[in-house]
């Protein structure tokens, strides 16, 4: 018998939803590129043209950070980040408990807390700063308030996600032995999330440190005010010197924080 | 009955050191910062006043312009994220220790780390003199600023790939390119796509503030409005930022779920947080 | 001590998880409850400390009518009833002694629980409870670092540190291997004999049930279908409780 040619089953077409997603992404890209007036030519032209920003970057003034004013602005940034994280992150533990069913038996309150947190989280750090500058005037207080809200939202989100996945057994055990709500949270829940929570706090600190560098751009204190000052005077060597030195510190803090976080979890 | 003695409690030096360090840091900060705490007393009142000014009465005429500006912010975030991905993908393969040599991987990783450290807004500040007060500045700031994070997320995905498909490719005598195309790419695609979307969500927030320093998008409108006490515009702008961000989060989050479902990827959200 | 009068429980209207239960459990008894999966064993045990509220009938525990208690009344009742779980329900990241001290939670003011500031007396109670299950030297180990049998013994110590009048155990050995299961059951039995604590244990292995149960209660479809001495319980009776012939899965040792 002669073997007839084998018929390969027809290749199934891409699933409709996949096709849709790909076309959607494609159209989105085209439309957004038009919106932002994207032009490769302009990018290349502008980057190749000599300019003082790049000149400054090539000869950064790395000693600027040790000058009296820059140094105190730098310390201010550090302190802002510490206080912002401790206060915001501290409150976020409560917020996270209030957002879970075992931490908060009142259904509607839970929904309120969750939505409140989503709203807070959707407002970016710098916008917070600008709002508080408007409310209490230029200074470091608006910076602190901005970092407070910013880190509270982030840490609350991460912590409540962790809470959603904890072992419910100890909670049942605590309830079965007649525990009250607060004692139950402390004894059956907190130990389970403490390492993650501590790690989130450190993460919040890293974010806050980075954010606190830009607060000054809208008048909310810290090293950003010095960056803004030199930018205003078009002294780009100083700007880049501050930026590079500051982010060297951020980098080191982050390494340290990552090392600690590894040990925690 | 006699008293039992518990064994001695071991001292947890790690914990004690950290607790002490935090306490010292907080006290140092409290003393160091000259904060006018008394201004906090007025804060709720002031916020209330500003709140009623901002959200009390809104002018529907401002709506189209502000939505347009939010769209510009979203566009900045999307194009910027894509640019970042365009650079991060090839670079991340060079940073994966299971694909290239250690020295090269190390070098690329340091580049990622440096880029990761600098906030987009700072990059935008530097780009403004070059590109002017245009959305393109925001796009490039976000593009450059996200290469580091995306690159890091990507190479971690690449390093976690399973060995079997690579071995299978080797077993049929595939060359390097084939090995890469069939052994690596299919494994990393879903997670990479999902992380690009995740970064897009993060970048929406970054692009919304680009405007505060003049680099395009809705931040521009809100900052101007606040500066000139144009409260109702600022209020509506804020609402649009919040609503727009939450909406994009929801859509993008749903898309990520779709992508991850059916793939072997472990987690929906990158564990950036867990370092 | 514990009296069920026409007690029923419905999780969903019309579906009776417990159906018209009448039981009288005396102080100091060691009772084993057996029955197929879904027969209502867990439900029965959990009505006693009101983790599952009863729908109908009357349930008296240690002089309280469980259905009529206020919230604080429920907490007070629970503080006198120790509970042991199949999955141990320990806080894994906490130390053994911290887990055991959870048994003191009701007796102590909230601030002491929150700050972990336990009075010497309570620490002694916890230490004695741990000693009774031979785990005193592990007091500062993390719960995760223990074996399954040891973890369940911590669970027993936690219940003991409540200084309870009743101990409820819901399949305490279902996640353990045979020798460990016997060790845990022996601890429970010894505690019952030494301290006179009324003990009610759910089991699904018949040989364990007859070995340790002074009294065996058989449940089927939410009803009591057997109630008698452990020694009187023959394989035929178990077949009656289960409504089917016995298999190797019904015993811990595979030699039926
Ligand atoms: N929380 C609940 N919600 C709804 N129905 C439940 C719930 N818990 C138990 N049930 C139902 O009640 C009945 C009795 O369940 P119960 O858990 O008491 O049985 P069991 O004898 O402990 O079984 P197992 O050996 O599987 O633990 C079952 O039909 C079960 O489906
Ligand atoms: Mg059960």
């Amino acid at each position: 018998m002669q073997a007839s040619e084998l018929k390969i089953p027809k290749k199934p077409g891409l699933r409709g939803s996949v096709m849709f997603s790909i076309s959607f992404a494609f159209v989105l890209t085209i439309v957004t590129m038009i919106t932002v007036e994207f032009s490769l030519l302009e990018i290349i032209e502008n980057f190749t043209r000599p300019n003082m920003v790049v000149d400054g970057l090539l000869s950064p003034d790395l000693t600027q950070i040790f000058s009296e004013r820059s140094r105190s602005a730098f310390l201010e940034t550090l302190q802002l980040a510490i206080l912002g994280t401790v206060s915001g992150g501290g409150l976020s533990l409560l917020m996270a408990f209030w957002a879970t069913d075992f931490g908060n038996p009142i259904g509607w309150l839970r929904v309120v807390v969750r939505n409140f947190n989503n709203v807070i989280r959707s407002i970016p750090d710098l916008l917070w700063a600008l709002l508080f500058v408007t409310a209490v005037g230029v200074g470091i207080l608006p910076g602190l308030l901005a970092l407070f809200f910013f880190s509270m939202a982030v840490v609350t989100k991460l912590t409540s996600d962790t809470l959603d996945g904890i072992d419910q057994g100890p909670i049942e055990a605590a309830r079965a032995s007649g525990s009250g709500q607060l004692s139950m949270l402390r004894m059956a829940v907190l130990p389970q999330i403490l390492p993650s929570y501590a790690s989130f706090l450190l993460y919040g600190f890293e974010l806050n440190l980075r954010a606190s560098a830009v607060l000054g751009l809208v008048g909310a204190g810290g090293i950003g005010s010095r960056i803004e000052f030199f930018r205003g005077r078009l002294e780009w060597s100083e700007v880049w010197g501050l930026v590079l030195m500051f982010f060297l510190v951020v980098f080191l803090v982050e390494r340290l924080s990552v090392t600690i976080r590894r040990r925690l979890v | 009955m006699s008293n039992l003695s518990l064994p001695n409690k071991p001292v947890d030096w790690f914990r004690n050191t950290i607790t002490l360090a935090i306490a010292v840091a907080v006290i140092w900060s409290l003393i160091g910062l000259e904060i006018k705490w008394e201004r906090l007393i007025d804060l709720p009142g002031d916020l209330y006043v500003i709140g009623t000014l901002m959200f009390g009465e809104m002018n529907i005429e401002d709506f189209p312009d502000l939505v347009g500006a939010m769209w510009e912010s979203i566009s900045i975030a999307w194009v910027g994220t894509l640019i970042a991905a365009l650079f991060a993908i090839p670079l991340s393969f060079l940073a994966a220790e299971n694909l290239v040599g250690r020295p090269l991987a190390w070098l690329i990783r340091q580049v990622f780390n440096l880029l990761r450290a600098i906030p987009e807004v700072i990059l935008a500040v530097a780009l403004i003199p070059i590109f002017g007060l245009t959305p393109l500045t925001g796009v490039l700031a976000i593009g450059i600023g996200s290469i580091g994070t995306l690159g890091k997320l990507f190479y971690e995905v690449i390093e976690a790939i399973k060995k079997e498909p690579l071995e299978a490719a080797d077993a049929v005598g595939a060359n390097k390119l084939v090995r890469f195309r069939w052994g690596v790419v299919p494994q990393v695609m879903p997670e990479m796509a999902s992380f690009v979307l995740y970064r897009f969500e993060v970048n929406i927030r970054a692009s919304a503030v680009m405007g505060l320093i003049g680099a395009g998008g809705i931040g521009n409108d809100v900052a101007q409005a606040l500066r000139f006490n144009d409260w109702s515009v600022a209020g509506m702008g804020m609402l649009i930022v919040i609503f727009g961000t939450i909406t994009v989060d929801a859509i993008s989050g749903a898309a990520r779920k779709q992508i991850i479902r059916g793939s072997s990827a472990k987690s929906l959200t990158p564990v950036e947080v867990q370092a | 001590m514990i009296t069920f009068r026409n007690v029923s429980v419905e999780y969903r209207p019309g579906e009776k998880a417990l159906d018209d239960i009448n039981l009288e459990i005396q102080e100091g008894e060691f009772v084993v409850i057996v029955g197929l999966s879904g027969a209502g064993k867990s439900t029965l045990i959990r009505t006693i400390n009101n983790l599952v509220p009863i729908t109908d009938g009357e349930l008296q525990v240690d002089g309280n009518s469980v259905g009529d208690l206020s919230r604080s009344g429920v907490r007070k009742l629970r503080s006198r009833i120790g509970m042991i779980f199949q999955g141990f329900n320990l806080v894994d990241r906490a130390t053994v002694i911290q887990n055991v001290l959870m048994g003191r939670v009701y007796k102590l003011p909230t601030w002491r629980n929150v700050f972990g500031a336990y009075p010497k007396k309570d620490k002694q109670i916890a230490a004695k409870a741990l000693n009774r299950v031979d785990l005193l030297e592990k007091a500062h180990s993390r719960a995760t670092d223990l074996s399954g049998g040891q973890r369940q013994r911590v669970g027993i110590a936690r219940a003991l540190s409540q200084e309870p009048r009743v101990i409820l155990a819901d399949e305490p050995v279902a996640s353990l291997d045979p020798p460990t299961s016997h060790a845990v059951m022996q601890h429970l039995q010894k505690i019952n004999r030494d301290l006179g604590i009324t003990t009610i244990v759910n089991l699904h292995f018949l040989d364990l049930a007859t070995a340790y149960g002074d009294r065996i209660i058989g449940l089927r479809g939410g009803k009591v279908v057997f109630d008698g001495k452990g020694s009187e319980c023959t394989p035929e009776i178990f077949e009656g409780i289960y409504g089917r012939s016995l298999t190797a899965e019904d015993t811990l040792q595979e030699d039926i």
Side-chain angles (χ1 to χ4, degrees):
Chain A
M1 205 177 91
Q2 198 196 337
S4 63
E5 199 171 308
L6 286 176
K7 220 173 172 178
I8 298 175
K10 235 172 96 192
K11 186 178 174 182
L14 276 179
R15 265 190 303 137
S17 63
V18 175
M19 281 299 284
F20 174 79
S21 308
I22 291 174
S23 348
F24 181 79
F26 187 74
V27 172
L28 182 68
T29 307
I30 301 291
V31 175
T32 50
M33 278 169 80
I34 294 170
T35 308
V36 299
E37 292 162 27
F38 187 82
S39 149
L40 205 56
L41 205 67
E42 196 178 326
I43 294 178
I44 294 168
E45 252 175 33
N46 278 327
F47 266 130
T48 45
R49 209 175 48 203
N51 64 70
M52 49 188 180
V53 178
V54 176
D55 291 347
L57 180 57
L58 296 178
S59 60
D61 177 5
L62 296 180
T63 55
Q64 174 54 232
I65 197 147
F66 300 111
S67 77
E68 173 80 43
R69 284 178 162 223
S70 297
R71 200 188 53 204
S72 74
F74 168 72
L75 291 182
E76 195 173 278
T77 291
L78 215 58
Q79 293 164 336
L80 273 175
I82 290 171
L83 280 192
T85 313
V86 168
S87 57
L91 190 63
S92 65
L93 187 62
L94 265 183
M95 295 279 287
F97 278 145
W98 281 339
T100 60
D101 49 357
F102 51 82
N104 179 355
I106 310 167
W108 62 266
L109 193 60
R110 215 153 55 215
V111 176
V112 169
V113 171
R114 284 190 180 204
N115 286 323
F116 175 73
N117 191 52
N118 279 339
V119 168
I120 302 266
R121 216 161 49 85
S122 67
I123 302 177
D125 44 4
L126 211 50
L127 197 51
W128 278 118
L130 188 62
L131 269 180
F132 286 118
V133 166
T134 314
V136 299
V138 172
I140 41 183
L141 184 60
L144 181 60
L145 289 170
L147 295 183
F148 169 81
F149 277 99
F150 176 61
S151 52
M152 182 181 77
V154 174
V155 179
T156 303
K157 169 79 176 133
L158 293 168
T159 310
S160 54
D161 283 355
T162 309
L163 280 174
D164 284 342
I166 63 162
D167 175 10
Q168 303 266 337
I171 298 177
E172 192 187 17
R175 293 220 166 110
S177 61
S179 169
Q181 184 73 2
L182 198 59
S183 304
M184 181 276 283
L185 290 178
R186 165 65 182 85
M187 301 175 80
V189 180
L190 191 66
Q192 294 194 55
I193 60 158
L194 201 56
S196 314
Y197 173 65
S199 160
F200 299 151
L201 280 183
L202 278 170
Y203 177 66
F205 178 66
E206 290 168 31
L207 290 183
N208 265 350
L209 196 56
R210 238 173 277 169
S212 66
V214 297
L215 293 177
L217 299 182
V218 296
I223 191 112
S225 0
R226 293 295 287 168
I227 294 176
E228 182 66 8
F229 171 75
F230 288 115
R231 175 175 88 115
R233 295 174 34 164
L234 303 180
E235 292 176 351
W236 289 96
S237 299
E238 280 75 8
V239 171
W240 282 118
L242 283 180
V243 168
L244 291 179
M245 289 306 273
F246 179 73
F247 288 105
L248 180 69
V249 173
V250 171
F251 177 75
L252 293 177
V253 168
E254 204 183 282
R255 291 291 98 187
L256 181 69
S257 153
V258 166
T259 317
I260 298 177
R261 273 154 55 185
R262 286 235 172 85
R263 256 206 82 167
L264 281 172
V265 182
Chain B
M1 194 161 150
S2 71
N3 270 359
L4 288 168
S5 60
L6 281 166
N8 282 333
K9 196 173 175 177
V11 183
D12 191 341
W13 289 110
F14 179 66
R15 201 172 169 150
N16 294 350
T17 314
I18 288 188
T19 314
L20 187 71
I22 292 175
V24 169
V26 169
I27 294 170
W28 173 66
S29 308
L30 276 175
I31 296 171
L33 286 178
E34 284 154 17
I35 292 182
K36 303 198 178 72
W37 294 107
E38 66 277 5
R39 275 204 268 171
L40 273 184
I41 303 170
D42 296 332
L43 181 68
D46 290 348
L47 282 181
Y48 178 75
V49 172
I50 294 177
T52 46
L53 285 170
M54 280 173 55
F55 306 115
E57 49 186 84
M58 299 213 182
N59 213 334
I60 200 72
E61 286 156 31
D62 304 326
F63 188 71
D65 280 353
L66 286 170
V67 169
M70 184 69 206
W71 173 252
E72 191 171 279
S73 287
I74 294 174
S75 301
I76 291 172
W78 180 252
V79 180
T81 310
L82 285 189
I83 291 180
L86 223 54
F87 283 91
I89 291 174
L91 283 176
S92 64
F93 283 105
L94 298 179
E97 283 184 351
N98 53 345
L99 296 182
V100 299
R102 278 186 146 231
L104 179 61
W106 183 85
L107 191 74
I108 307 256
R109 282 173 193 211
Q110 297 319 307
V111 174
F112 287 161
N113 281 332
L114 183 77
L115 288 174
R116 241 154 45 86
I118 303 179
E120 288 85 353
V121 177
I122 297 275
L123 292 172
V125 165
L127 287 167
I128 285 177
I130 308 180
F131 287 89
L133 298 172
T134 64
L136 201 52
T137 306
V139 168
L140 291 178
I142 285 188
I144 298 171
S146 304
I147 293 177
T149 327
L150 275 184
K152 182 171 154 57
L153 293 174
F154 286 174
Y155 77 67
E156 279 167 3
V157 172
I158 298 168
E159 287 187 346
I161 60 175
K162 291 202 195 70
K163 288 212 184 59
E164 291 79 5
L166 285 179
E167 279 170 2
D170 286 340
V172 297
N175 66 24
K176 277 216 150 144
L177 197 68
V178 173
R179 185 173 190 261
F180 180 74
R181 168 66 185 84
W182 296 106
V184 179
V185 173
Q187 288 197 60
V188 298
M189 274 285 281
E191 264 179 306
M192 282 192 176
S194 150
F195 288 173
V196 168
L197 285 176
Y198 169 77
R199 189 64 203 178
F200 169 57
E201 291 165 36
V202 174
N203 282 343
I204 293 274
R205 292 165 172 79
S207 77
V209 294
M210 285 290 162
L212 299 189
I213 53 157
I218 193 162
N220 229 332
D221 303 62
V222 174
Q224 294 296 338
L226 283 176
R227 218 158 276 153
F228 298 110
N229 293 346
D230 206 346
W231 299 110
S232 65
V233 174
M236 188 182 283
M238 284 271 299
L239 288 185
I240 291 177
V241 169
I242 294 171
F243 185 74
T245 311
I246 291 179
T247 311
V248 173
D249 273 6
I251 296 173
S252 165
R256 279 194 282 143
K257 244 178 222 157
Q258 278 294 326
I259 293 173
I260 292 300
R261 213 175 54 184
S263 82
S264 58
K266 296 159 293 297
S267 69
L268 202 57
T269 307
V271 270
E272 211 184 334
V273 183
Q274 286 161 17
Chain C
M1 179 85 201
I2 300 172
T3 315
F4 287 78
R5 250 181 244 120
N6 308 106
V7 170
S8 295
V9 170
E10 297 177 357
Y11 289 103
R12 274 176 299 267
E15 288 176 39
K16 285 205 156 77
L18 289 184
D19 191 356
D20 197 26
I21 302 283
N22 285 289
L23 284 172
E24 177 85 42
I25 294 170
Q26 305 300 332
E27 177 143 20
E29 267 192 284
F30 195 109
V31 181
V32 169
I33 300 174
V34 295
L36 283 177
S37 178
K41 306 185 292 293
S42 300
T43 307
L44 181 76
I45 262 200
R46 281 172 162 72
T47 55
I48 296 172
N49 60 2
N50 201 35
L51 280 179
V52 172
I54 59 174
T55 326
D56 248 321
E58 208 203 332
L59 173 54
Q60 289 279 339
V61 178
D62 201 12
N64 302 285
S65 174
V66 174
D68 306 330
L69 289 174
S70 66
R71 270 172 70 126
S72 63
V74 168
R75 283 184 52 199
K76 185 166 183 196
L77 175 72
R78 286 178 181 173
S79 76
R80 285 183 287 160
I81 303 176
M83 189 155 190
I84 296 162
F85 304 85
Q86 173 177 350
F88 319 137
N89 291 12
L90 301 183
V91 183
D92 283 340
R93 288 185 187 273
T95 61
V96 166
I97 189 76
Q98 281 168 338
N99 270 290
V100 175
L101 279 164
M102 195 194 267
R104 304 301 304 158
V105 69
Y106 179 83
K107 307 279 190 330
L108 294 171
T110 302
W111 72 268
R112 283 196 177 274
N113 292 321
V114 168
F115 292 104
Y118 299 105
K120 199 150 189 295
K121 173 176 147 279
D122 296 83
K123 284 192 191 158
Q124 268 304 309
I125 294 172
K128 277 178 187 148
L130 264 182
N131 194 39
R132 199 166 267 288
V133 294
D134 304 324
L135 277 179
L136 189 58
E137 77 284 5
K138 293 275 186 195
H140 296 296
S141 306
R142 277 196 184 205
T144 25
D145 297 339
L146 303 183
S147 70
Q150 288 174 326
R151 282 150 70 83
Q152 192 57 294
R153 275 147 63 198
V154 177
I156 295 174
R158 177 176 60 193
L160 272 183
S161 78
Q162 287 176 238
E163 302 184 307
R165 311 256 297 138
V166 179
I167 284 182
L168 307 174
D170 192 4
E171 311 244 10
V173 298
S175 341
L176 303 176
D177 57 37
T180 326
S181 297
H182 278 290
V184 165
M185 288 309 296
Q186 277 156 13
H187 273 295
L188 281 177
Q189 191 175 48
K190 188 155 187 307
I191 287 163
N192 168 261
R193 302 272 146 84
D194 291 356
L195 305 176
I197 302 173
T198 314
T199 305
I200 304 171
V201 186
N202 282 349
L203 287 174
H204 65 265
F205 291 127
L206 305 179
D207 45 352
L208 278 185
T210 41
Y212 298 97
D214 297 337
R215 173 177 170 193
I216 290 181
I217 293 173
L219 285 184
R220 182 167 154 199
K223 286 188 190 324
V224 177
V225 292
F226 175 82
D227 187 352
K229 286 211 177 94
S231 49
E232 294 168 355
C233 231
T234 58
E236 291 69 43
I237 289 177
F238 279 123
E239 287 182 346
I241 295 173
Y242 280 16
R244 61 163 169 76
S245 49
L246 301 182
T247 68
E249 262 100 74
D250 296 328
T251 56
L252 186 62
Q253 256 77 32
E254 287 148 11
D255 54 3
I256 196 161

